[in-house]
Amino acid sequence: MLASRAAPERPDRPFTGFKLAHAVVASEDGQAGFAGLTMGAQRVYGTTAEAACIWTRRHAPPRRRCSCGFYCLNSLAEARALSCATENRDAVLLEVTASGRFIRYERGLRYSRQRVRAVRVGPCGCGRPARGLVGWRGLMPVCAGCGASRALITFGGFATRLGGQIPVTPDEGAAGWPGQAGEGLPDAGLPDAAAIAALGAEMALVHARLDHLQARFNQLEGGES
């Protein structure tokens, strides 16, 4: 005898979850959005979105025998732990409201409708607190020092590109911040003009030395011939 199917859940409110995504900016109009980490990277979504299956249009996500749909984790700590993986260091952390059709799994939900409530940006690749986002189309967190010579999109600027309704803030609980994994790393701040001048002088000396060595090498090579 077949076991009876469990009664479908009918939650009285949307679920809150956490996930990672890549921050992106459209090259055409400068509007911001997000892209998934793996197969979902093929589709860019905004602050509110409906899931679409990338394999077929014959069913609505999520479907049990397919991997389609949005995914989120129940725990903020688990989402932060996922961001520590090398391949996820450039991702931002989203707090989302999940609704519509859904399928539970051990660590979270797979669902059909999503609204982004907040964006948390982790540290720069050097371990210091990020001050904004840099990149072309695909963005990554960057501190003031590492992003000094690049076109920086501030947190406020990215929030404006998202429509101005969602907070974009540094994730001070992320690994790599001073007092945690990045303890002892000072904020680089903006580069010092004197330091840049001194570095330029040292580079000029190195180039001069290389030119001298090249000339000596050419003389020796000519003498042998």
Side-chain angles (χ1 to χ4, degrees):
M1 181 176 180
L2 296 176
S4 59
R5 298 178 61 183
E9 292 186 70
R10 299 185 183 277
D12 59 356
R13 64 176 65 89
F15 296 95
T16 296
F18 305 91
K19 64 187 297 179
L20 300 182
H22 290 298
V24 298
V25 169
S27 59
E28 297 83 4
D29 56 10
Q31 294 297 305
F34 306 98
L37 302 184
T38 53
M39 293 180 294
Q42 300 179 35
R43 293 180 180 269
V44 175
Y45 56 87
T47 55
T48 59
E50 293 278 345
C53 182
I54 64 172
W55 307 111
T56 179
R57 297 182 179 179
R58 295 181 180 178
H59 63 251
R63 190 178 180 87
R64 290 193 180 278
R65 295 186 179 181
C66 185
S67 59
C68 60
F70 291 120
Y71 288 73
C72 74
L73 296 165
N74 294 327
S75 166
L76 173 59
E78 284 197 61
R80 282 176 172 154
L82 189 62
S83 71
C84 293
T86 302
E87 62 272 20
N88 297 334
R89 294 297 289 178
D90 291 344
V92 297
L93 194 156
L94 307 182
E95 179 181 339
V96 299
T97 296
S99 58
R101 295 174 299 278
F102 69 92
I103 299 173
R104 289 186 184 272
Y105 66 100
E106 184 179 356
R107 299 167 62 191
L109 290 176
R110 187 153 61 97
Y111 52 98
S112 64
R113 187 178 303 118
Q114 174 177 277
R115 180 171 64 86
V116 179
R117 300 178 56 185
V119 181
R120 294 181 172 94
V121 182
C124 176
C126 71
R128 298 183 177 91
R131 291 290 182 262
L133 300 159
V134 297
W136 172 244
R137 297 189 179 180
L139 306 178
M140 61 181 181
V142 70
C143 68
C146 295
S149 60
R150 307 181 66 179
L152 183 74
I153 299 178
T154 64
F155 296 150
F158 189 71
T160 299
R161 292 169 186 259
L162 288 172
Q165 303 298 314
I166 297 171
V168 179
T169 59
D171 186 3
E172 298 184 359
W177 287 83
Q180 298 181 29
E183 185 172 1
L185 285 172
D187 190 350
L190 295 176
D192 181 77
I196 292 177
L199 181 60
E202 291 180 13
M203 291 177 65
L205 289 173
V206 170
H207 283 297
R209 180 60 177 164
L210 288 173
D211 290 341
H212 175 72
L213 291 174
Q214 184 65 51
R216 291 285 297 154
F217 177 78
N218 291 339
Q219 290 175 358
L220 292 172
E221 192 175 48
E224 291 177 357
S225 61

